[in-house]
Short mmCIF file of all heavy atoms in Angstrom, two decimals:
data_model
loop_
_atom_site.label_atom_id
_atom_site.label_comp_id
_atom_site.label_asym_id
_atom_site.label_seq_id
_atom_site.Cartn_x
_atom_site.Cartn_y
_atom_site.Cartn_z
N GLU A 26 -0.16 16.34 18.07
CA GLU A 26 -0.60 16.61 19.44
C GLU A 26 -1.66 15.61 19.88
O GLU A 26 -2.43 15.11 19.06
CB GLU A 26 -1.17 18.02 19.54
CG GLU A 26 -0.11 19.09 19.37
CD GLU A 26 -0.71 20.48 19.27
OE1 GLU A 26 -1.23 20.83 18.20
OE2 GLU A 26 -0.64 21.22 20.26
N VAL A 162 -11.08 2.48 23.69
CA VAL A 162 -11.74 1.21 23.41
C VAL A 162 -11.66 0.24 24.59
O VAL A 162 -12.16 -0.88 24.50
CB VAL A 162 -11.18 0.53 22.14
CG1 VAL A 162 -11.33 1.46 20.95
CG2 VAL A 162 -9.72 0.14 22.31
N VAL A 398 -9.34 -8.86 50.22
CA VAL A 398 -7.95 -8.94 50.65
C VAL A 398 -7.37 -7.53 50.68
O VAL A 398 -7.70 -6.70 49.83
CB VAL A 398 -7.15 -9.83 49.68
CG1 VAL A 398 -5.66 -9.74 49.96
CG2 VAL A 398 -7.62 -11.27 49.77
N LEU A 438 -31.22 -36.38 25.42
CA LEU A 438 -31.41 -37.74 25.93
C LEU A 438 -30.06 -38.43 26.00
O LEU A 438 -29.32 -38.45 25.02
CB LEU A 438 -32.35 -38.52 25.01
CG LEU A 438 -33.82 -38.07 25.03
CD1 LEU A 438 -34.64 -38.93 24.07
CD2 LEU A 438 -34.39 -38.12 26.45
N LYS A 527 8.62 11.71 8.00
CA LYS A 527 8.37 10.30 7.67
C LYS A 527 8.88 9.36 8.76
O LYS A 527 8.22 8.38 9.11
CB LYS A 527 9.05 9.95 6.35
CG LYS A 527 8.50 10.73 5.16
CD LYS A 527 8.85 9.98 3.91
CE LYS A 527 8.76 10.85 2.69
NZ LYS A 527 8.90 10.03 1.47
N GLU A 575 13.54 -11.60 5.62
CA GLU A 575 12.97 -12.90 6.01
C GLU A 575 13.65 -13.45 7.27
O GLU A 575 13.00 -14.03 8.13
CB GLU A 575 13.06 -13.90 4.85
CG GLU A 575 11.96 -13.63 3.82
CD GLU A 575 12.08 -14.48 2.55
OE1 GLU A 575 13.19 -14.96 2.27
OE2 GLU A 575 11.07 -14.64 1.87
#
Side-chain angles (χ1 to χ4, degrees):
Chain A
E26 291 171 284
V162 302
V398 171
L438 290 180
K527 297 201 198 189
E575 282 173 338

